[in-house]
Amino acid sequence: MSHFGVVAPPLFSHFQALQALAGRLVDLGHRVTFFQQLEAGALMRDNRLAFHPLGLASHPPGSLGEVLRHAARPSGLSVRRVIKDMAASTDMLCAELPEAVTALHVDALICDQMEAAGGLVAEALGIPFVSVACALPINREPGVPLPVMSFPWEDDPRMRKVYASSTQVYDALMAPHGRVVARHARAFGLPPRRGLHECLSNLAQISQTLPSLEFPRQALPGCFHHVGPLRVPARSLADTSPWPVERGRPFIFASLGTLQGHRYGLFKRIAKACRAIDAQLLIAHCGGLDDSQAAMLRGLGANWVTGFVTQPQVLRQADAVITHGGLNTVMDALVAATPILALPIAFDQPGVAARVAHAGIGRHCWHRSRWRTLAGRLESLLDDTGVLVRLAALDAQLQAAGGAQRAAAIVEQAVRSGRPVNAEGAA
């Protein structure tokens, strides 16, 4: 039996995906402890998993709420604030994680790609670690735009220059975080590094994506594995839905995730768009709206407005989903074979939306578009039978991906052997 530590940003979607993987490891007889600031303990859903708080001085109660408020409105100066928050979290973890990992006799780390501290600390302590991409993979290669970029993939010299220039801009913005990574790498006696993409495992890298949801790749490491969505074992979903959908009219599900569920203005335009094409609309705002806003949305054409839903069940019933482009919602839509209209806002959402369009499984649109534009894009999506054909073609790839069960097997093999676990067909 091994004791695994998990290091990830204190974000709901990341914690949920990694808890699915951790739960499978517990099923196999291992122990798992999550490490983060105190308030992140509220994100834990599996009581078999342990949580060890860090940063009690630097990240006291109340600080996570401020971080999430910055992340929920990532524009202008707020983007720089989000990057400073990332840097502060990495700094704290690099300072406190080594002692905690050593004291708790952790044998190996499972590290979210979006938190550099996990890989840095594991290397410093000489313990094995595995990298997990809960968002789009950050692995870089020439000719492929970064996940945060909205560019489509094109194989031509002009676009390669665009991708390279945008990468330089991104690295300049991320410089405060890069300086923290570089400082701790020096302090740990590690080779120089400055970016998240330089802190990944050489044993195994696991991604929630599928090859078909990626741009063409030529340089992923041999130990990179597309395992599909990391989810807890699905309970059987009821055949009946609490939403009495009328046959003969399109049924649309709209969700902007936990961070963006407060965007009443966008939900308002979505409601108007659905009313314009005579579509039934269910909005899940994840607690971001109040009762009066929900009532106003119903007055604008939304049939149902609620905080939370059983997303897999609703997606299975929906004719299309309108989403901010969060990877978890998109992967759930793939499982349900539900067409996607992505309205990306920030982080890797523009990259997810671009890949949805590239795969031909949906459309994307600027999140500030007028309701008439949204109505036209949604109507076009509903009329495109080719989207359903392409979604159906992904089913075999989803079934073979393996999800959390395969991810747990990869983690076990990497830690047990101490050697890279190469994907099938990799050199």
Side-chain angles (χ1 to χ4, degrees), residues 29-392:
H30 303 289
R31 294 171 57 205
V32 183
T33 300
F34 279 62
F35 295 88
Q36 243 308 340
Q37 65 187 85
L38 177 65
E39 291 173 294
L43 301 174
M44 303 297 292
R45 295 292 184 270
D46 188 336
N47 59 16
R48 300 175 302 163
L49 308 175
F51 179 80
H52 186 84
L54 299 172
L56 297 178
S58 60
H59 292 70
S63 59
L64 181 56
E66 189 68 15
V67 167
L68 296 179
R69 281 190 289 275
H70 296 152
R73 294 171 173 81
S75 61
L77 293 176
S78 293
V79 172
R80 296 185 182 278
R81 182 66 257 184
V82 169
I83 293 168
K84 288 182 179 179
D85 290 337
M86 288 179 61
S89 182
T90 297
D91 192 30
M92 178 273 289
L93 289 169
C94 284
E96 299 190 19
L97 194 57
E99 182 179 353
V101 165
T102 301
L104 294 179
H105 305 289
V106 171
D107 301 301
L109 290 179
I110 298 169
C111 307
D112 193 304
Q113 280 197 352
M114 292 305 298
E115 179 46 76
L120 291 173
V121 169
E123 287 191 57
L125 296 178
I127 62 175
F129 75 102
V130 170
S131 300
V132 180
C134 294
L136 280 183
I138 61 173
N139 303 70
R140 294 189 183 185
E141 64 181 88
V144 177
L146 297 183
V148 296
M149 304 301 175
S150 61
F151 305 118
W153 181 82
E154 296 182 33
D155 186 17
D156 71 74
R158 181 184 66 85
M159 288 306 296
R160 285 175 176 266
K161 289 181 180 179
V162 170
Y163 302 154
S165 297
S166 69
T167 298
Q168 291 176 344
V169 172
Y170 171 83
D171 286 340
L173 283 171
M174 289 291 290
H177 185 263
R179 288 192 289 271
V180 170
V181 171
R183 174 163 53 84
H184 283 289
R186 285 194 304 271
F188 289 149
L190 303 177
R193 60 198 69 185
R194 296 185 66 85
L196 291 166
H197 64 291
E198 296 173 317
C199 302
L200 305 180
S201 173
N202 292 321
L203 294 178
Q205 298 176 25
I206 294 167
S207 172
Q208 288 203 92
T209 55
L210 298 174
S212 293
L213 193 65
E214 256 293 2
F215 292 146
R217 289 279 202 166
Q218 306 297 325
L220 287 174
C223 64
F224 189 96
H225 303 262
H226 292 280
V227 303
L230 297 172
R231 302 290 184 269
V232 297
R235 298 174 181 174
S236 58
L237 298 175
D239 292 330
T240 58
S241 168
W243 320 108
V245 175
E246 179 184 333
R247 293 180 178 273
R249 296 172 58 209
F251 172 46
I252 311 301
F253 171 54
S255 172
L256 304 177
T258 53
L259 282 180
Q260 306 299 333
H262 64 280
R263 292 180 179 267
Y264 170 73
L266 180 50
F267 280 127
K268 181 177 176 180
R269 282 178 275 125
I270 290 171
K272 289 183 175 181
C274 288
R275 183 172 62 184
I277 66 170
D278 193 31
Q280 302 165 92
L281 173 62
L282 165 62
I283 290 175
H285 55 75
C286 301
L289 303 180
D290 59 34
D291 291 342
S292 63
Q293 290 172 318
M296 286 187 282
L297 288 174
R298 285 191 288 269
L300 290 168
N303 300 77
W304 308 279
V305 182
T306 187
F308 296 91
V309 299
T310 304
Q311 185 162 279
Q313 182 185 41
V314 172
L315 285 169
R316 192 174 65 174
Q317 188 180 15
D319 295 295
V321 58
I322 301 176
T323 170
H324 60 310
L327 185 61
N328 278 325
T329 299
V330 167
M331 294 309 298
D332 285 345
L334 290 188
V335 172
T338 304
I340 301 160
L341 176 57
L343 312 177
I345 297 170
F347 309 122
D348 69 332
Q349 296 156 21
V352 172
R355 285 157 177 80
V356 164
H358 181 80
I361 56 174
R363 304 279 195 279
H364 63 86
C365 194
W366 189 35
H367 73 277
R368 295 191 184 276
S369 296
R370 296 174 181 269
W371 67 263
R372 289 183 179 85
T373 301
L374 297 180
R377 201 62 57 91
L378 183 57
E379 195 165 37
S380 171
L381 176 63
L382 292 169
D383 289 342
D384 188 351
T385 57
V387 171
L388 294 175
V389 172
R390 288 184 286 273
L391 281 165

